[in-house]
Amino acid sequence: IMPQTSTMNQGAWLRTEEIAECYREYSKVRVMGGPVWAGGALNTYFLSSHGVSTPRSYWKVILKLDSYGNVTDAIGWIVPNNTAATKSNVNSYLKSIAEIEAASGYSIPVSDSFRYMVPTTSWSLSMRMPLARTCGWAITWSRVKTGAHGTPSASSRASHSSVVHDI
């Protein structure tokens, strides 16, 4: 366990975790991550009590895999361990796999076609999915008739589209 600023942990880092959790529901993924020690520690606040310094930033990579284990897509971030790292800023932390390898010292198993690309935005959490499958986030129905257990009735599902909130 590594120390994280609460804003970062509940902001940009949480968004990367939500993306990983969402996409693992619908495809095979490999998630890797850890601290970035380049530039030294942010501080030594936890050194005496927990034996670890506080990293300046963290990295995460998500690889989408096909049924044979081949990488079909990749995305990665280097997120600063500070109060600016909010969910709304997550796209500004997107990096190429090559940049993440250089900062982290890890070798990430991707082809050059993925190693040097930088997506312009993080993968979306706002997807049209079957009614009960929306990456764990809320669906809003407008004037939906419900069945016996509070779920939309068959006629409601047929006549109303779901709206997924992009969070």
Side-chain angles (χ1 to χ4, degrees):
I1 297 176
M2 302 298 296
Q4 294 181 338
T5 304
S6 62
T7 303
M8 178 267 216
N9 179 269
Q10 297 165 27
W13 192 254
L14 177 60
R15 177 51 48 96
T16 68
E17 291 175 345
E18 291 168 343
I19 291 168
E21 288 298 310
C22 178
Y23 281 83
R24 79 173 179 84
E25 292 290 325
Y26 302 100
S27 63
K28 188 174 180 179
V29 298
R30 180 178 298 143
V31 180
M32 296 169 265
V36 175
W37 293 110
L42 180 64
N43 63 52
T44 57
Y45 182 81
F46 291 101
L47 191 57
S48 63
S49 63
H50 293 80
V52 65
S53 294
T54 304
R56 288 190 183 279
S57 56
Y58 289 84
W59 65 276
K60 182 176 287 181
V61 169
I62 305 171
L63 306 175
K64 284 187 197 176
L65 308 172
D66 66 15
S67 59
Y68 301 104
N70 300 310
V71 176
T72 61
D73 206 353
I75 193 167
W77 303 264
I78 295 179
V79 181
N81 193 11
N82 62 37
T83 57
T86 61
K87 283 185 178 185
S88 62
N89 289 333
V90 73
N91 290 337
S92 64
Y93 308 126
L94 286 165
K95 302 293 181 198
S96 71
I97 302 301
E99 290 174 288
I100 293 168
E101 288 175 324
S104 69
Y106 285 90
S107 177
I108 298 168
V110 297
S111 67
D112 284 350
S113 61
F114 294 110
R115 181 164 275 107
Y116 300 102
M117 69 171 208
V118 180
T120 55
T121 61
S122 297
W123 293 344
S124 175
L125 294 177
S126 178
M127 297 183 268
R128 288 202 169 276
M129 302 278 179
L131 291 176
R133 304 298 304 167
T134 59
C135 301
W137 291 279
I139 295 177
T140 302
W141 288 284
S142 174
R143 292 183 231 116
V144 174
K145 297 176 186 173
T146 58
H149 300 287
T151 58
S153 66
S155 63
S156 290
R157 286 193 303 270
S159 63
H160 291 83
S161 63
S162 62
V163 177
V164 178
H165 294 283
D166 188 13
I167 58 170

